[in-house]
Amino acid sequence: MMAQRQHLESSDGERIVAQVDLRKKCRELPMRSAADDPVARAEAALQKMSGHFRGWMDEELTTIDEAWKRLRAAGIADDTARAGLFRAAHDIKGQAATLGFPLVGVLAGSLCALLDEPADPGAVPAVLIEQHVAGLKAMVREDVRNEDDPVATQLVGELSRVTRGFIASVAPRS
């Protein structure tokens, strides 16, 4: 191997020869016609599943509600309970737009920041967490799917503004 490396060295750098030829590990897919649009197929699959989106979002809200109850019982400074609520909010943040609830995802992102960014997690006001959880539940209950919904937009904007203000007023994690 050393002889190979020396042979492949040049003024531009060193070329390392792979030990395993990955081309042998892959299989060739048959050629598809130009009319086959993978994006259209993915959108059609999402459309078929869309009838389940509301139920999935309801399940996510049950999870976040239970995580909030555990954190409230354990205390805001409890790392394990706070991590559980963060994980639930992060899941919603990642899935909400796909499930048709884009503003819910924005609010869940604000909750993630509230739980993760302050250096002293015990300083986070429980009422602000409660307002985020209640807002998430209300938007799904009211089936807010339109990003231009005036009430939901105002709710998300205000809670996000208050959250950013709180984080700025305390020492953020470095």
Side-chain angles (χ1 to χ4, degrees), residues 133-157:
V133 173
L136 292 168
K137 290 166 43 176
M139 286 194 293
V140 173
R141 180 184 62 242
E142 297 299 320
D143 205 33
V144 175
R145 294 175 182 263
N146 183 349
E147 291 181 81
D148 297 329
D149 183 282
V151 175
T153 301
Q154 185 175 1
L155 173 70
V156 170

Side-chain angles (χ1 to χ4, degrees), residues 25-60:
K25 303 278 184 189
C26 298
R27 64 180 173 89
E28 268 189 63
L29 294 175
M31 292 297 294
R32 297 199 170 149
S33 71
D36 182 36
D37 182 2
V39 173
R41 281 188 290 123
E43 287 174 349
L46 274 175
Q47 185 61 35
K48 283 174 72 173
M49 294 186 308
S50 67
H52 301 287
F53 288 179
R54 174 61 191 257
W56 293 340
M57 187 56 77
D58 287 339
E59 289 173 17
E60 294 296 333

Side-chain angles (χ1 to χ4, degrees), residues 17-121:
V17 179
Q19 296 292 328
V20 177
D21 185 1
L22 294 178
R23 290 173 288 205
K24 294 177 183 174
K25 303 278 184 189
C26 298
R27 64 180 173 89
E28 268 189 63
L29 294 175
M31 292 297 294
R32 297 199 170 149
S33 71
D36 182 36
D37 182 2
V39 173
R41 281 188 290 123
E43 287 174 349
L46 274 175
Q47 185 61 35
K48 283 174 72 173
M49 294 186 308
S50 67
H52 301 287
F53 288 179
R54 174 61 191 257
W56 293 340
M57 187 56 77
D58 287 339
E59 289 173 17
E60 294 296 333
L61 287 176
T62 298
T63 301
I64 202 165
D65 195 39
E66 290 169 359
W68 167 231
K69 288 175 184 172
R70 282 191 297 276
L71 180 60
R72 202 172 41 215
I76 301 299
D78 185 273
D79 290 338
T80 303
R82 195 176 57 261
L85 182 59
F86 176 84
R87 201 170 24 264
H90 193 269
D91 287 349
I92 290 174
K93 174 184 156 194
Q95 297 172 12
T98 300
L99 298 179
F101 294 89
L103 286 175
V104 170
V106 174
L107 188 56
S110 176
L111 179 55
C112 285
L114 181 63
L115 295 168
D116 190 50
E117 291 183 23
D120 177 12

